[in-house]
Amino acid sequence: VQLQASGGGLVQAGGSLRLSCAASENIFSLPAMAWFRSVQGKQRELVASITTGAGSGAWTKYGPLLEGRFTISRDNAKNIGYLQITDLKPEDTAVYYCAASGSETTRPDEYWGQGTLVTVSS
């Protein structure tokens, strides 16, 4: 499985971005998708995950203090996962990675995208 992350860029504080994670195969086989972010010198941080269960819909999990400005979603018909970020802050500057797993986990790490850089100017 290959994941292609896109949508990063330079944005002013207070702005919004939508990151996309396109999968090379049907994401019905990838019940768990997530976004992590990495800042140099710091441990990679889970931003959000979305997990679908058989017949039970989907549930989401957000990193500490991130719920509200970050919204994770997935479009199974298009094989794409999304991360909508609003009210961006300079401390959101990071490389954002998408990840996915073939199991129902809230912290998928089986497949990784290449990362997309988000830079927020003050």
Side-chain angles (χ1 to χ4, degrees):
V1 177
Q2 293 184 336
L3 303 176
Q4 181 76 34
S6 62
L10 175 63
V11 63
Q12 288 188 331
S16 299
L17 278 177
R18 188 177 76 163
L19 307 183
S20 298
C21 177
S24 61
E25 66 179 58
N26 195 322
I27 62 174
F28 280 109
S29 66
L30 301 171
M33 299 185 76
W35 289 91
F36 292 79
R37 65 184 182 183
S38 177
V39 176
Q40 191 172 7
K42 294 186 178 181
Q43 190 172 5
R44 187 172 293 186
E45 174 188 27
L46 174 68
V47 177
S49 66
I50 182 166
T51 308
T52 56
S56 61
W59 60 93
T60 56
K61 176 182 178 181
Y62 293 89
L65 304 178
L66 298 181
E67 189 166 10
R69 297 192 299 115
F70 294 79
T71 304
I72 189 169
S73 62
R74 55 190 288 162
D75 187 333
N76 290 344
K78 296 181 178 179
N79 297 326
I80 298 178
Y82 299 102
L83 182 69
Q84 179 74 41
I85 315 172
T86 60
D87 189 25
L88 277 155
K89 304 178 183 303
E91 53 264 38
D92 294 323
T93 296
V95 177
Y96 286 73
Y97 298 89
C98 61
S101 287
S103 59
E104 294 179 17
T105 172
T106 57
R107 197 177 178 89
D109 60 3
E110 189 173 354
Y111 307 105
W112 290 89
Q114 84 288 1
T116 184
L117 176 62
V118 172
T119 304
V120 184
S121 63
S122 57

